[in-house]
Amino acid sequence: ENGGAAAERVMRSAFEVLDDNCVSLKAQYALARRVVLWRGAPPSDSGDAASSCRAVAACIAEVHEGSGVLEVPILAAARHERGRGHGSVLVALLVQMGAALGCRLLVVSATTESARFWLTMGLHTPAGCSPEIRATLRELAQSSQRRGFANSIAMAMPLPRVPRRRGDAGAGGGGWLSCGAAGGGALAAAFARLLARVPPEQ
């Protein structure tokens, strides 16, 4: 699987303790997938990466079909790449991906250290969410679907609605919540911030 080893390296560099099942997508994480942000030329289909290519951020993501939720229990930037905007770009990609899949809500597991980052990304704790989102979070927790960790708190944001052709089916099954900025706009803004922070490589 392209990117699997790189994603594991990024996540293990960011967390002192990490659930092996989460990293290897086993047990309760069997339906989740790794999402990796690369800098430089992408790796080839054979798994060989160009020497200039490196994984700068990674996450674990799972779509909960019944509730239309895209959950991200773990997101991390490589230790030597922090503060360069890569995490923001990965979040913007997740927002666009979730909207394209028909998901209605992005839910993450935030730690005390990461809560401020998620707030800047537009996510909120249940206290700051709408009653509709709070109800969805309660249902997710009661169904034992949520993959949060001990000492973490759920944070959420509505995903932008993507116009669908009649008959299209997504994870959320139609319109529900809308977001002010389209996913593509958020992605473009994140890339602009990234380019402003990271000088071109020589």
Side-chain angles (χ1 to χ4, degrees):
E1 179 185 342
N2 283 357
E8 181 172 351
R9 284 194 298 272
V10 168
M11 289 184 283
R12 290 198 183 280
S13 75
F15 298 96
E16 294 181 4
V17 179
L18 197 57
D19 186 341
D20 288 339
N21 286 333
C22 181
V23 175
S24 57
L25 305 183
K26 295 179 180 178
Q28 69 268 40
Y29 299 99
L31 297 179
R33 293 294 179 264
R34 304 178 189 94
V35 181
V36 186
L37 181 66
W38 299 89
R39 180 167 171 79
S44 66
D45 291 338
S46 65
D48 296 329
S51 58
S52 62
C53 181
R54 62 185 183 277
V56 294
C59 72
I60 302 297
E62 179 177 352
V63 173
H64 299 294
E65 296 271 352
S67 56
V69 169
L70 174 63
E71 182 182 6
V72 179
I74 287 184
L75 183 145
R79 186 174 295 276
H80 60 283
E81 296 285 352
R82 290 180 183 173
R84 298 189 177 185
H86 299 305
S88 300
V89 170
L90 185 53
V91 172
L93 285 168
L94 289 168
V95 167
Q96 191 173 31
M97 181 180 76
L101 290 171
C103 294
R104 307 175 296 187
L105 196 66
L106 173 64
V107 176
V108 305
S109 294
T111 63
T112 303
E113 295 77 15
S114 67
R116 183 175 179 182
F117 166 77
W118 289 115
L119 281 169
T120 64
M121 294 293 100
L123 287 88
H124 297 278
T125 62
C129 292
S130 69
E132 193 171 11
I133 292 177
R134 288 200 298 271
T136 299
L137 291 174
R138 284 195 301 270
E139 292 171 4
L140 194 64
Q142 291 168 1
S143 68
S144 301
Q145 286 186 308
R146 186 171 167 261
R147 309 301 179 206
F149 294 94
N151 302 318
S152 68
I153 184 170
M155 296 184 70
M157 69 175 287
L159 292 172
R161 290 183 294 184
V162 174
R164 292 183 176 278
R165 296 185 302 272
R166 181 171 296 178
D168 283 353
W176 181 59
L177 294 167
S178 63
C179 170
L187 181 58
F191 271 118
R193 290 193 299 270
L194 173 65
L195 293 174
R197 294 184 191 184
V198 182
E201 293 183 332
Q202 300 300 320

